[in-house]
Amino acid sequence: MSNTASTLSSADRAAPHLISAAAPPSLRLMLALEDFEAPARRYIPRPIYGYVSGGVERNVTLNWNRSVFDDLALVPRMLINVSQRSQKTQLFGRSYDSPFGISPMGGTSLAAFQGDLALATAAATRNIPMILSGASLTPLETVRQAAPNHTWFQAYLPGETQAITELVERVAIAGYDTLVLTVDIPVGSNRENNVRNGYNAPLRPNLRLALQCLARPSWLIGTALRTYFTQGMPHFENMGKRTPLVSSTAVRERANRDHLNWEHVALMRRLWKGKLVIKGILDKRDAVIAREHGCDGIIVSNHGGRQLDSASSPLRVLPGIVAAAGDMTVMMDSGIRRGTDALKALALGAKFVFVGRPMLYAAAVAGETGVRHAIRLLHYEIDRDMAMLGANSISEISREMLMDARGLDTYGLR
Ligand SMILES: Cc1cc2nc3c(=O)[nH]c(=O)nc-3n(C[C@H](O)[C@H](O)[C@H](O)COP(=O)(O)O)c2cc1C
């Protein structure tokens, strides 16, 4: 990755104290992705932090997304020469430096100054993909220009031919080669925490919100006012009509999402010449239908536990989906925080994984530099873990390395 790291021996390059020492002073104690959350909570106003961190209803799915990884134990092999190990991964005709990318997240520029650009440029510098959200506050053309080879676009679409046709054309003209359609949001989910904290999209200006923002002066100056004075009022730029971020009356376009169905996927497949990916699949029958519709890939995801509470963790359904998907690329997100999490998902057959919240916390805390550091942390966790597992390449990560942590046989592994 950096020159310093690449001149180190393969045994030393993942040493945690060296990675820490290479970071800017303010990030030296950010030793794992989880470490970005506490400073982000102190930086971001309460309703916005609640929007980012929160799940839905009782947070059953949100909690499973983490605990499910602990159900699996790793079984390493010894005395294998791993000095030539590499985690480079081929995906859709490109070679990435790591087997993970950044999940699409709407409204990132609310939490971090120019959040979409910080995430996209950091991803490009570290040679991993970043998916720009359809609910983002930066025009999709601007982000693609800033990181032309590493940015994918994620669409939220109504079940309407005209809206779909217009968006697909716009995304193609902007030069994107990978289009992701998120399908787990036929209706808005029951995010009670947003109501309790006073979060809305658009934000409704009122005294409570003003006081909540005043309680976070660094954010107020470093993100909100800086954005306002450099760019004016942000708008939702990539989803139907432009809607301002703050307004007492405006309503974001969400109509007719519950009409969306496979006929619209067929339409998109006819219109879109690039790679088409469906995000939010949890049932293997849907994976089969996606493949039959000519989709290039799916992201097995429960939206980070933000949609249907009690929806299964992607990891639990992954083996069945991989078996049903044939040659279609299967990727996964929701709950990945550690190198071992990523490797467990890859061992169960995912080709690639994505990480959401921690990357946004890193952007809030330290902008592009923070995201670059977060990516490096996860990259070197994977490097270290591969060495200790006895793997020289991602293709060597297999189910043989896993067993049920409690000695049960939930995954049919041993
Ligand atoms: C603040 C926030 C905004 C999100 N916005 C979107 C979005 O616009 N489109 C989408 O497909 N998924 C969205 N997601 C879901 C993520 O793409 C991803 O599935 C999830 O965050 C992964 O789980 P993780 O945060 O535990 O890594 C959002 C998640 C968060 C935390």
Side-chain angles (χ1 to χ4, degrees):
M1 286 197 149
S2 82
N3 290 334
T4 333
S6 60
T7 52
L8 291 170
S9 82
S10 62
D12 286 336
R13 70 186 180 209
H17 62 277
L18 292 180
I19 294 164
S20 167
S26 64
L27 296 178
R28 290 204 178 139
L29 285 179
M30 298 291 117
L31 304 177
L33 294 194
E34 290 102 326
D35 289 341
F36 289 97
E37 179 157 3
R41 180 168 19 86
R42 291 192 293 271
Y43 178 76
I44 308 169
R46 185 187 168 97
I48 300 170
Y49 174 76
Y51 157 70
V52 177
S53 63
V56 65
E57 294 183 355
R58 293 172 51 235
N59 290 335
V60 172
T61 294
L62 182 70
N63 294 329
W64 280 343
N65 281 352
R66 288 300 305 133
S67 65
V68 71
F69 289 101
D70 298 337
D71 292 348
L72 283 172
L74 293 165
V75 187
R77 298 295 304 275
M78 301 300 150
L79 290 171
I80 293 169
N81 177 352
V82 287
S83 59
Q84 303 304 312
R85 69 193 174 278
S86 163
Q87 59 184 279
K88 277 195 187 300
T89 302
Q90 304 291 324
L91 184 63
F92 298 145
R94 268 185 206 285
S95 175
Y96 293 109
D97 278 1
S98 304
F100 65 87
I102 302 180
S103 295
M105 285 174 286
T108 61
S109 304
L110 248 182
F113 178 69
Q114 295 191 337
D116 300 314
L117 287 170
L119 291 163
T121 51
T125 310
R126 293 285 186 238
N127 190 25
I128 63 166
M130 176 272 190
I131 312 179
L132 178 68
S133 160
S136 50
L137 296 162
T138 318
L140 60 90
E141 292 79 5
T142 309
V143 182
R144 178 75 193 180
Q145 260 169 27
N149 296 319
H150 296 83
T151 314
W152 306 0
F153 182 74
Q154 173 263 320
Y156 278 138
L157 284 167
E160 291 168 9
T161 304
Q162 191 185 341
I164 293 173
T165 309
E166 283 172 9
L167 187 90
V168 170
E169 276 172 9
R170 181 177 166 197
V171 175
I173 290 168
Y176 284 86
D177 42 33
T178 306
L179 177 57
V180 179
L181 174 68
T182 296
V183 294
D184 53 11
I185 44 95
V187 293
S189 65
N190 188 17
R191 302 206 192 142
E192 292 159 12
N193 71 302
N194 285 351
V195 182
R196 288 188 222 286
N197 287 327
Y199 178 84
N200 214 319
L203 289 168
R204 303 296 184 211
N206 56 40
L207 181 63
R208 182 179 178 210
L209 181 65
L211 294 174
Q212 287 166 323
C213 293
L214 283 169
R216 293 288 185 274
S218 304
W219 173 89
L220 189 61
I221 295 165
T223 296
L225 294 176
R226 192 170 164 206
T227 302
Y228 189 75
F229 287 116
T230 52
Q231 307 160 213
M233 168 67 72
H235 286 68
F236 292 95
E237 300 277 357
N238 304 314
M239 211 169 36
K241 75 173 181 359
R242 281 178 89 233
T243 314
L245 174 61
V246 185
S247 163
S248 30
T249 51
V251 180
R252 215 171 75 184
E253 236 171 62
R254 289 199 178 98
N256 289 344
R257 280 190 193 167
D258 55 351
H259 291 231
L260 194 70
N261 63 62
W262 288 108
E263 283 175 22
H264 301 110
V265 174
L267 170 68
M268 288 177 79
R269 185 62 290 180
R270 286 197 296 278
L271 295 170
W272 175 252
K273 305 293 171 241
K275 302 294 180 194
L276 183 61
V277 174
I278 306 285
K279 173 172 181 280
I281 297 290
L282 287 173
D283 189 309
K284 59 186 173 196
R285 290 169 295 183
D286 290 337
V288 170
I289 302 174
R291 194 191 65 208
E292 287 167 356
H293 278 70
C295 295
D296 299 283
I298 53 172
I299 303 179
V300 185
S301 168
N302 60 28
H303 216 107
R306 298 161 71 82
Q307 289 304 114
L308 174 67
D309 204 19
S310 286
S312 171
S313 283
L315 200 70
R316 286 226 184 270
V317 292
L318 190 60
I321 289 182
V322 169
D327 57 1
M328 184 176 63
T329 301
V330 178
M331 298 163 279
M332 195 198 101
D333 80 6
S334 299
I336 304 262
R337 298 292 176 269
R338 290 283 179 171
T340 48
D341 301 338
L343 290 171
K344 287 174 186 178
L346 299 181
L348 286 179
K351 169 89 179 154
F352 209 80
V353 297
F354 290 88
V355 180
R357 295 177 184 87
M359 296 297 173
L360 182 49
Y361 296 142
V365 170
E368 185 193 330
T369 312
V371 185
R372 269 193 268 128
H373 183 56
I375 296 170
R376 164 173 278 183
L377 288 172
L378 192 56
H379 177 92
Y380 281 113
E381 281 187 11
I382 292 173
D383 181 70
R384 220 178 283 128
D385 298 335
M386 283 176 67
M388 287 189 282
L389 280 166
N392 273 305
S393 70
I394 293 295
S395 62
E396 291 173 24
I397 303 296
S398 74
R399 287 166 76 112
E400 309 268 272
M401 295 171 168
L402 299 177
M403 70 173 284
D404 190 299
R406 294 155 306 168
L408 307 172
D409 202 18
T410 323
Y411 295 87
L413 296 165
R414 276 164 195 257

